[in-house]
Amino acid sequence: MHSLTRSLAHVLHSLGLDQRRCAHCLRPFSPADLTSPQDAFCPQCAVELKPHSGPCCHLCGLPLAGTHAPGNAVCGACLQDPPPWHALAFHGLYQGTLRDTLLQLKFDGKIYLAKALAYFLLEAASCLPLPDAVVAMPQHPNHLRNRGYNQAHELARALCHLAALNLRTDLLARVVPGPAQAQLSARARRENVRHSFRASPLTAGMTLWLLDDVMTTGSTLRSATHALLTAGADRVDVLFVARTPQHT
Ligand SMILES: [Zn+2]
Ligand SMILES: [Zn+2]
């Protein structure tokens, strides 16, 4: 059976029928394993999309200087004001090809990228205990109406499909739209989103994964985590694809 699969792969390859288009750069390539849907990116992009492996703050994911930082190292900001979540997991830094892929998912309507990125999330989340439910960072209905979709929800949906997890859209709502965050300082961002979320009492006793595409200052994730814990969640772990490499 194995040699049959191999000779079939050989025939397909010689005819060029084994080719896929890279989910990021759209160049055709031949995946190493035809049966694996995981190979969504060409070899060049795959190298650039490798998970971040350098030392980082274990509470917020901020990369730390020096190669000898211990596994439980904490950055200055988290020492002063530790985040409310229990643990965090993410794939890589928000730069280069990963940033570009996430921007395409968010702004160009390339929702199929969520499926490819869900494999990264699943791998990153292997250090977290399995949740009772996955909650995607919600958008305010006004925002959702303009954009048409929520990239965090698309990622959560793909991840839950992949890992047979329970996606819940009724546990957390964004009740204040809030202005664009990009121009605000970290402190202003946190003030801005402090009362932005309302969590359901149905979260009581649950272990949750709160999922987002990118973590910048963490103020939105902090506020949403706080709302879930206040509503009674037992444990909230945050999971996202990419971390900005510095506090902004
Ligand atoms: Zn590529
Ligand atoms: Zn930190």
Side-chain angles (χ1 to χ4, degrees), residues 35-226:
T35 56
S36 163
Q38 202 163 342
D39 290 340
F41 300 102
C42 73
Q44 292 94 313
C45 290
V47 166
E48 289 169 36
L49 289 167
K50 277 207 167 5
H52 176 65
S53 57
C56 57
C57 169
H58 82 284
L59 293 177
C60 76
L62 185 75
L64 297 173
T67 48
H68 299 297
N72 58 354
V74 176
C75 75
C78 287
L79 263 181
Q80 270 192 342
D81 185 12
W85 49 77
H86 198 100
L88 127 164
F90 68 103
H91 174 75
L93 297 182
Y94 190 59
Q95 56 193 18
T97 304
L98 187 58
R99 177 173 176 273
D100 195 50
T101 305
L102 285 162
L103 287 173
Q104 288 185 25
L105 169 66
K106 188 169 178 178
F107 295 111
D108 295 347
K110 296 183 179 172
I111 293 173
Y112 61 85
L113 286 168
K115 205 172 144 190
L117 293 168
Y119 285 97
F120 291 167
L121 286 170
L122 186 60
E123 215 169 279
S126 62
C127 60
L128 303 175
L130 281 177
D132 299 305
V134 176
V135 176
M137 179 61 76
Q139 282 178 354
H140 188 267
N142 290 353
H143 193 159
L144 195 58
R145 220 169 289 133
N146 292 337
R147 175 80 56 76
Y149 65 98
N150 170 1
Q151 72 283 355
H153 176 74
E154 296 303 326
L155 286 165
R157 193 159 64 157
L159 175 69
C160 288
H161 181 73
L162 193 65
L165 295 170
N166 184 18
L167 176 62
R168 292 284 295 263
T169 55
D170 57 338
L171 299 182
L172 185 68
R174 190 157 190 151
V175 288
V176 180
Q181 295 269 81
Q183 280 80 36
L184 301 176
S185 69
R187 180 185 285 256
R189 281 182 185 218
R190 197 170 311 171
E191 208 45 56
N192 190 29
V193 295
R194 181 154 288 168
H195 305 291
S196 295
F197 297 96
R198 186 162 52 221
S200 158
L202 293 172
T203 56
M206 282 188 172
T207 292
L208 300 169
W209 285 359
L210 175 61
L211 195 149
D212 208 353
D213 54 343
V214 179
M215 171 167 157
T216 305
T217 61
S219 54
T220 314
L221 280 164
R222 276 177 183 254
S223 173
T225 301
H226 185 71

Side-chain angles (χ1 to χ4, degrees), residues 22 24-27 41-42 45:
C22 171
H24 170 252
C25 69
L26 301 181
R27 275 193 292 261
F41 300 102
C42 73
C45 290

